[in-house]
Amino acid sequence: MSTVNIRCRENGPFVVEGEFTLKDHEGNIFPLDSDKPAIALCRCGASSNKPFCDGSHRNSNFQADERVAD
């Protein structure tokens, strides 16, 4: 089994790397491009391609700078 890594981009999406499936609330699987090494998931709510990021966070004043606690 491969490792999945999820990075929080400052004021941007979650970037997911590794092999995984992405399902909606009914269990339907979103098609993912297997040629891409990573996908970006929207967390600002402004993307027109949810659940994927389309860069809308840049113009939506979205702010998120989660950091690991000391």
Side-chain angles (χ1 to χ4, degrees):
M1 177 184 280
S2 65
T3 300
V4 174
N5 293 304
I6 303 172
R7 289 184 290 123
C8 299
R9 298 279 314 268
E10 184 177 13
N11 301 324
F14 289 119
V15 177
V16 185
E17 301 167 302
E19 191 175 322
F20 65 95
T21 58
L22 180 60
K23 298 179 183 180
D24 68 13
H25 67 280
E26 294 179 339
N28 301 304
I29 297 175
F30 285 96
L32 301 175
D33 185 348
S34 60
D35 292 334
K36 285 187 165 187
I39 64 155
L41 296 176
C42 176
R43 62 182 178 145
C44 73
S47 175
S48 61
N49 190 31
K50 292 180 192 97
F52 305 103
C53 175
D54 68 359
S56 293
H57 58 273
R58 293 183 198 111
N59 299 317
S60 70
N61 296 318
F62 178 70
Q63 295 196 350
D65 60 353
E66 298 85 358
R67 300 192 187 276
V68 174
D70 291 333

